[in-house]
Structure formats: C-alpha cells, structure tokens
C-alpha cells in the first residue's frame, strides 16, 4: 500500500470527515457518533483458492437502538479508473455474500452503499460511472439489463455552492485542491482545521511538496484553534522561495554544462591547431594547404584562422 493511499485513508476514516463525505449531496444526515468500523477485507473462494479483496474505508451505520441499518464505504482515488463501477460492484457483492454466510432465519441483509472520493486536480474524472457505459446492450435486452452506478465526488471541481455546503476538514481539502487546479495560492479562507497532521500529510503526498511538513511543525507549536488562513498564509512565499532555489540550482547546472561544452570546443580547437602546425612544419605547406590536407570543415577553418590571426 502506497504512502498516499495510507494518508487518504487516515483522513477520510476519521468519523467526522467520513460523515461529511456521506452527507454531501445526500438527503440523509449521517452522525459521526453513529459510525462503527466494518471489516474492509472480503474473502471469496474461486478456482480452488481464496481471493482477498480490500476496501479503502467501510463503516457500519447504527440507529438509536445500536442496530446496524446500513454499511457505508468510501473508495479513494487519485487517478480515474476505468473499472471502478465493476470494482465497487464486486466489493458490495462480496459483502452481501459474507452476510449470507452468517444470516439467521428471518433476518434481512444490511444494505451496502459506496461512494468514490476523487482527489485528482490535474484532470476531471473521465472514466465510466456505470456499467451501462461500458456495455453494448442489445436493444432486445435493454429493459432487462441490471445497471450499476457509482457516485464520484470530484473535490477539485466542486462549485462554490457545493463547497459552501461542506464543513470541517473535507471543506478545507476541497478548497485546497480547487486552488491547486486553478493555480490560485492566495486569499485562504478563515476555516478551522480539526485534523492538521492528517490533512498536511495528505497534501504532502498529493503535491510532493515538503513545505507542508514544515507547516505541520509550526502548527504543533501553536496554541488554540488552527485556521486555514493562518496555516497557508506563507504558502505562496514558500513556493516562490522554492522556485528561486530550483532556478538557482538549474542555473548553476546549466552554467557547468555550458562551461563543459565550451571547454570541449576549446580542446578540439587546440587539437586541430596543433595538427595543422605539424602538417605545415613537415610538408612546408601554407596554412590553407594544411587545412585542406586535414579536410577541415569551413567552420573549423574559420576557428583556426581566428586562432592564428590569419
């Protein structure tokens, strides 16, 4: 499992953040205190061997009587995946199969629901969101086809109204990803951050920028509430400073490269000059005759003429 996957799971697995994911675009209000961990590993037997499937995040949702009334899953994605509808369908089906193995007489299955949380900000989710988009269903079977759809939440592409409907660290993440997408790294809102370590670890892995680890160290020294505007106020300065450092390093490397190239040319010129003078001395020929004898190019001849002042 990659570090980025772990960071995504760590943040979204926190009950308050998980509940916010599920409350987005939903008529049902999920309460964090009603969420309990569900097994993320599903095992099935196929071709004389056991196959393990692992979900990202999976939680039971319980009512006031502490009875499981639903199972909610979130799959985290940084890149669009073509097989996502079939993958989610497989996860859900395997959990239903697990329930059947332990189902008592008269009991009903607990319904399973899954959302896909997309962290990508370079491009939108372009892959299918349903099986019907990937199947060529004959017209005569169209009314019998059992479609399977997934809901994909594209955090970096939410509208102003959708972001306003969010709260907590999910809102902070959505604003940050959208600003990255639009290349807007200023005017950060005054939003309280609940889970600063988890959030900055995620931003570190998504962007591959070490500045967030420095921010995390600074936040550890602060007292009281941590606001998004305070944490990110120097983010633009950090990027400018980092850009200048990178520019200096690249300039230094380019200078060394140019120096080496010039050194090679000077070395080649000196070698040609020595060879030309040797021919002149041995054969008693003129400069032009010696250069013709060596079959020098016009450019090389001009360099030799310039070196000897001819």
């Amino acid at each position: 499992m990659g570090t980025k996957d772990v960071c995504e799971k760590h943040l979204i697995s926190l009950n308050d953040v998980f509940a916010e994911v599920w409350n987005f675009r939903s008529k049902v209000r999920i309460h964090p205190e009603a969420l309990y961990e569900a097994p993320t590993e599903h095992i099935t037997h196929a071709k004389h061997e056991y196959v393990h499937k692992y979900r990202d995040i999976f939680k039971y949702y319980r009512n006031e009587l502490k009875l499981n009334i639903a199972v909610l899953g979130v799959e985290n994605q940084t890149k669009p995946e073509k097989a996502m509808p079939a993958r989610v369908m497989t996860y859900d089906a395997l959990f239903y199969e697990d329930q059947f193995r332990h189902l008592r007489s008269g009991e009903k299955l607990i319904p399973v629901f899954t959302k896909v949380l997309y962290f990508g900000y370079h491009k939108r989710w372009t892959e299918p969101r349903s099986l019907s988009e990937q199947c060529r269903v004959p017209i005569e079977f169209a009314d019998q086809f059992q479609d399977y759809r997934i809901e994909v939440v594209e955090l970096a592409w939410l509208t102003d109204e959708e972001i306003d409907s969010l709260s907590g660290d999910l809102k902070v993440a959505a604003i940050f990803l959208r600003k990255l997408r639009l290349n807007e790294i200023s005017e950060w809102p005054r939003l309280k951050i609940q889970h600063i370590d988890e959030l900055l670890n995620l931003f570190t892995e998504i962007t591959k920028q070490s500045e967030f680890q420095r921010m995390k160290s600074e936040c550890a020294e602060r007292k009281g509430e941590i606001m998004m505007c305070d944490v990110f106020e120097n983010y633009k300065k950090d990027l400018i400073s980092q850009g200048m450092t990178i520019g200096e390093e690249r300039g230094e490397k380019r200078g060394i490269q140019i120096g080496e190239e010039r050194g090679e040319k000077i070395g080649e010129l000196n070698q040609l000059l020595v060879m030309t003078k040797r021919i002149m001395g041995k054969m008693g020929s003129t400069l032009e005759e010696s250069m013709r004898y060596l079959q020098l190019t016009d450019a090389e001849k001009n360099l030799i003429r310039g070196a000897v002042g001819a």
Side-chain angles (χ1 to χ4, degrees), residues 195-224:
H195 311 287
I196 187 67
D197 285 2
E198 291 81 0
L199 200 64
L200 293 182
N201 283 341
L202 175 61
F203 292 166
T204 299
E205 290 304 319
I206 288 177
T207 64
K208 302 303 180 185
Q209 295 173 3
S210 60
E211 284 74 20
F212 296 108
Q213 294 306 302
R214 180 193 56 75
M215 292 180 188
K216 191 168 70 171
S217 299
E218 291 180 355
C219 290
E221 300 174 358
R222 296 186 183 185
K223 297 180 180 180

Side-chain angles (χ1 to χ4, degrees), residues 135-187:
C135 296
R136 183 177 290 111
V137 183
I139 296 178
E140 57 269 29
F141 293 105
D143 60 341
Q144 300 179 52
F145 179 73
Q146 300 297 316
D147 201 359
Y148 199 90
R149 299 180 180 276
I150 58 172
E151 179 184 356
V152 180
V153 180
E154 299 177 86
L155 285 177
W157 274 269
L158 299 184
T159 64
D160 290 339
E161 293 76 14
E162 289 174 326
I163 288 181
D164 287 342
S165 71
L166 298 174
S167 63
D169 288 356
L170 187 66
K171 185 172 186 176
V172 174
I175 291 174
F176 174 76
L177 290 173
R178 187 171 75 166
K179 281 184 172 292
L180 278 186
R181 176 175 68 84
L182 298 174
N183 197 26
E184 297 175 353
I185 52 177
S186 59
E187 298 182 5

Side-chain angles (χ1 to χ4, degrees), residues 20 56 98 105 124 181 245 289:
E20 191 58 40
D56 284 345
D98 289 343
S105 178
R124 300 206 64 163
R181 176 175 68 84
T245 300
E289 290 172 342

Side-chain angles (χ1 to χ4, degrees), residues 108-135:
K108 296 289 186 179
L109 297 175
I110 304 171
V112 183
F113 306 90
T114 303
K115 285 189 177 185
V116 177
L117 192 59
Y118 179 55
F119 290 94
Y121 60 91
H122 292 297
K123 66 176 182 177
R124 300 206 64 163
W125 183 277
T126 54
E127 298 298 347
R129 302 179 189 225
S130 65
L131 283 179
S132 57
E133 295 178 60
Q134 296 180 295
C135 296

Side-chain angles (χ1 to χ4, degrees), residues 5-19 21 32 35-37 40 56-59 74 76 117 119 195 198:
D5 294 332
V6 173
C7 291
E8 291 168 357
K9 292 178 183 179
H10 197 182
L11 178 66
I12 307 304
S13 65
L14 299 169
N15 280 356
D16 59 326
V17 183
F18 185 93
V21 174
L35 293 169
Y36 297 84
E37 297 301 317
T40 56
D56 284 345
I57 309 164
F58 209 36
K59 294 179 182 285
V74 171
N76 300 313
L117 192 59
F119 290 94
H195 311 287
E198 291 81 0

